[in-house]
Amino acid sequence: MEWALKELEIPSDDVIMYITDDHNKVREALGIDKVIHEEWPVKYIDVEGQNVISVIPNKLTQLTENEVRIMVLREVAIIKIMNDPGLISMWVIPQGMNDNIAHRVSLAMLRRTIDFVIARSQSLIQFLVNTFNKIELRDIIISCKPAIDCAVTVLALDVPLSIELAGNSSLGKSLWNDVVRDLNNDFVKRYDDFRDFVRNNFNVENAYNYLLMMFKKS
């Protein structure tokens, strides 16, 4: 945790860390609603502006070092994002956009923003590459129909896009080309267009509007 805070240039004094066996125990102690879905062993929790990281050590020991490091980096990166208006504008839904698709796009854009923050550091980008599951993403794309649901799912997993956004276009494009190599279906063609637009106009409203145009209500 100290390593991740240092790498992302976040003062450790700004963060409270809890060691626990259940994130909901931390939420209960802080007076926050519990959640019922499964969570990562490392979890960022915002408590009225106070940054909290909840850690479940016995679950971390079941993972590889690369998996642990990228997981910690991603949760710590949220702290940086929540304190930077420019980064917040990339994924927060503007007023007037309040449907389910907008919320899903927002969550996908948050994931891309998190990885963008990590990819800006040359010393950290390799952790993104090492843990990027090309096979998982390729399998999803192969089965995808040209529909909004598929496009948002792929966007949420499109780590190469964040790498391109961070300025390493050759690496990001190479990773993406490996994913879609020899794939030439209608979804890939539409998503490639959508992907290029999002890279050049990176915020929720732009992504949402272009998504609806490219995939309509399919």
Side-chain angles (χ1 to χ4, degrees), residues 125-138:
I125 195 169
Q126 194 60 41
F127 292 106
L128 286 173
V129 175
N130 290 345
T131 53
F132 172 53
N133 194 331
K134 178 181 73 175
I135 295 174
E136 176 193 18
L137 183 53
R138 183 179 173 86

Side-chain angles (χ1 to χ4, degrees), residues 14-170:
D14 292 350
V15 184
I16 297 175
M17 186 169 67
Y18 286 83
I19 306 299
T20 185
D21 60 358
D22 185 336
H23 295 313
N24 278 327
K25 289 183 179 179
V26 176
R27 290 191 179 91
E28 184 176 2
L30 297 170
I32 298 174
D33 290 339
K34 296 181 180 180
V35 296
I36 58 174
H37 58 271
E38 186 177 357
E39 299 178 296
W40 298 114
V42 181
K43 180 65 182 174
Y44 167 81
I45 301 173
D46 179 28
V47 189
E48 298 181 351
Q50 174 64 61
N51 300 308
V52 171
I53 298 286
S54 179
V55 181
I56 304 176
N58 65 337
K59 289 189 177 180
L60 287 178
T61 59
Q62 302 170 24
L63 305 174
T64 67
E65 180 180 352
N66 279 333
E67 288 172 333
V68 172
R69 286 184 181 270
I70 197 62
M71 191 178 295
V72 171
L73 283 169
R74 280 173 168 153
E75 295 303 309
V76 168
I78 299 175
I79 298 173
K80 200 172 191 75
I81 290 168
M82 297 299 286
N83 289 280
D84 185 322
L87 294 173
I88 288 174
S89 69
M90 292 179 174
W91 65 275
V92 168
I93 302 172
Q95 288 184 344
M97 290 174 57
N98 195 31
D99 59 47
N100 182 59
I101 295 173
H103 283 281
R104 290 193 61 205
V105 171
S106 174
L107 290 174
M109 295 290 276
L110 173 58
R111 294 183 71 170
R112 293 303 99 243
T113 304
I114 289 169
D115 286 351
F116 163 73
V117 168
I118 296 169
R120 289 190 302 185
S121 169
Q122 287 301 309
S123 64
L124 300 178
I125 195 169
Q126 194 60 41
F127 292 106
L128 286 173
V129 175
N130 290 345
T131 53
F132 172 53
N133 194 331
K134 178 181 73 175
I135 295 174
E136 176 193 18
L137 183 53
R138 183 179 173 86
D139 287 346
I140 290 172
I141 291 172
I142 288 172
S143 63
C144 262
K145 291 180 172 59
I148 287 173
D149 182 68
C150 264
V152 178
T153 298
V154 173
L155 178 62
L157 297 171
D158 194 350
V159 174
L161 176 59
S162 291
I163 293 174
E164 291 178 51
L165 282 166
N168 201 328
S169 57
S170 59

Side-chain angles (χ1 to χ4, degrees), residues 161-206:
L161 176 59
S162 291
I163 293 174
E164 291 178 51
L165 282 166
N168 201 328
S169 57
S170 59
L171 174 58
K173 197 64 178 175
S174 175
L175 290 170
W176 176 250
N177 287 340
D178 283 346
V179 172
V180 297
R181 193 175 307 281
D182 300 323
L183 300 182
N184 196 32
N185 58 33
D186 190 25
F187 174 78
V188 172
K189 292 176 182 176
R190 293 197 202 187
Y191 183 79
D192 264 334
D193 190 326
F194 170 68
R195 188 176 188 275
D196 286 342
F197 178 85
V198 171
R199 184 178 58 249
N200 294 314
N201 305 272
F202 195 80
N203 66 53
V204 172
E205 186 170 10
N206 288 330

